[in-house]
Amino acid sequence: MSRFLNVIPVADAVAAVIRISPSLVTETIPLEFSVGRILAAAVTADTDIPGFDRSVVDGYAVRAADTAGAGDAIPALLHCAGRIAMGRPNAHGTLAPGTCTYIPTGGVLPAGADAVVMVEYTEEAGDTVLVKRSVSHGENVLLRDEDFRRGECVFSSGRRISPQDAGVLAACGCAAVTVAKKPVVGIISTGNELVPVTVVPGPGQVRDANASMLAAYLTEYGCIPRLYGIIPDERLAFEAVLARAVPECDVVLLSGGSSKDDRDMTAAVIAAMGEVLVHGIAIAPGKPTIIGRITNKPVFGLPGHPASAFVVLIAIVRPLLDRMLGIPRPLQRTEQATLAVNIPSQRGREEYVRVTVENGIATPLFGKSGLLNTLIRSNGLVRIPAGAEGLEQGSIVEVILW
Ligand code: AMP
Ligand code: MG
């Protein structure tokens, strides 16, 4: 028996997804492998950064007051008390008035000094340094803990680690980081008409585009896709592949099976092996979507059209991934744009329209939903809420970028 006519709003479907979402599992990995991973615990600085007042230029550490009024014509004459060595504490004691020390970029500012004159504005004459420009208190100096204070929270959990984050994590003494374990997501393509990428399709056949598309998205989103190939529209094949995939994965995605007979079978198999929670969502494209659960593992039946499968992936599956990864808001990039034309929409269902964006103007690509080319000719999707009867030309929309 199909419950497909019992179409539910997107928000209810997402709520159902969140209810069955497996909880975040963490692992601790070396910092060098952490880029792109999601921090599962906050990170605090284990020391003050920097740990000492330091110069940000090559030059002379001075008392700023000693340089007051200095210029090319009337340089301040300071006695050079020594040279600061890189990576070592200051060995010259407190800087006395009327003196200076040479200091390299990053060198320890001696006590008593409160500024650094760039070497470009100085001239050495024996033990005397001619300072040809005045500096103010604190100039060219980075103060101890100015970057981060010991114990300060530098990163919150849920942050995706960027290359520059890795640098800051290293500075904070994080040789290993605790991150969300990558969810393993099984991908099963269904359909008698499907052939693998390596096969030239015969009459009535099409290549399996969904498996590659879903796997690529999941990889980029920080999951591990696990491909189970193509299965025919046969009940035994469905049961066999699900029996294999469910124990091996955290989540399973089936694509295809949205024609009436197939749909009933996908839902019937999920119901027999577990339970069907949702069958039909008020979303376009993507209405014939199934959300189920087998031995506590979420199992989705996505529509076969690649564009529909993609929309459901973003709108319905992604909230599950966000939960499993501990991401507070989606990683997907968005951009605001102005609508070039009216987009009509049917009230009562959430619609996702492919658009191109150029110079801040979003233009919808209307066309036959089954076409693949709109997936690459467009830049992203505009969401039309279920409560709206379309969007008006000139309105500001948020484009979910591909
Ligand atoms: P279905 O949801 O099985 O009724 O399929 C809807 C449409 O999507 C049909 O034209 C299918 O041939 C096509 N389709 C289903 N699965 C895939 C796939 N993995 N790759 C490309 N097209 C697909
Ligand atoms: Mg099919």
Side-chain angles (χ1 to χ4, degrees), residues 189-190 193-194 206-211 255-259 262 303-306:
S189 301
T190 77
E193 77 283 19
L194 298 182
V206 291
R207 287 197 174 112
D208 175 8
N210 288 350
S255 84
S258 70
S259 67
D262 298 347
H305 280 308

Side-chain angles (χ1 to χ4, degrees), residues 285-303:
K287 177 177 167 188
T289 293
I290 299 164
I291 304 170
R293 181 158 61 160
I294 301 175
T295 59
N296 264 330
K297 304 274 181 77
V299 177
F300 290 85
L302 308 181

Side-chain angles (χ1 to χ4, degrees), residues 162-173:
S162 68
Q164 60 277 28
D165 290 354
V168 175
L169 284 163
C172 291

Side-chain angles (χ1 to χ4, degrees), residues 83 106 189 192 218 233 277 301 308 365:
R83 300 176 81 83
S189 301
N192 290 337
L218 291 164
D233 295 314
L277 304 163
S308 311
L365 279 174

Side-chain angles (χ1 to χ4, degrees), residues 47-200:
T47 57
D48 288 335
I49 303 174
F52 51 91
D53 296 347
R54 65 193 315 215
S55 175
V56 296
V57 296
D58 292 332
Y60 290 89
V62 297
R63 290 169 177 266
D66 286 346
T67 68
D72 280 326
I74 326 151
L77 303 182
L78 300 178
H79 172 73
C80 186
R83 300 176 81 83
I84 306 281
M86 255 337 243
R88 293 173 176 274
N90 167 36
H92 306 288
T94 300
L95 193 79
T99 70
C100 63
T101 50
Y102 177 78
I103 188 166
T105 304
V108 178
L109 193 76
D114 64 352
V116 178
V117 184
M118 284 173 82
V119 73
E120 288 86 330
Y121 304 124
T122 66
E123 205 177 296
E124 262 188 60
D127 275 354
T128 302
V129 177
L130 285 66
V131 174
K132 300 175 176 174
R133 188 168 288 198
S134 69
V135 281
S136 52
H137 175 80
E139 198 167 328
N140 297 325
V141 171
L142 206 63
L143 295 176
R144 178 190 180 124
D145 85 13
E146 190 173 332
D147 230 350
F148 300 106
R149 209 170 354 90
R150 182 183 169 183
E152 176 181 337
C153 179
V154 179
F155 295 105
S156 311
S157 65
R159 183 181 174 101
R160 184 181 215 182
I161 299 171
S162 68
Q164 60 277 28
D165 290 354
V168 175
L169 284 163
C172 291
C174 266
V177 285
T178 301
V179 295
K181 205 157 187 258
K182 290 187 173 195
V184 177
V185 183
I187 299 172
I188 303 164
S189 301
T190 77
N192 290 337
E193 77 283 19
L194 298 182
V195 292
V197 185
T198 46
V199 172
V200 178

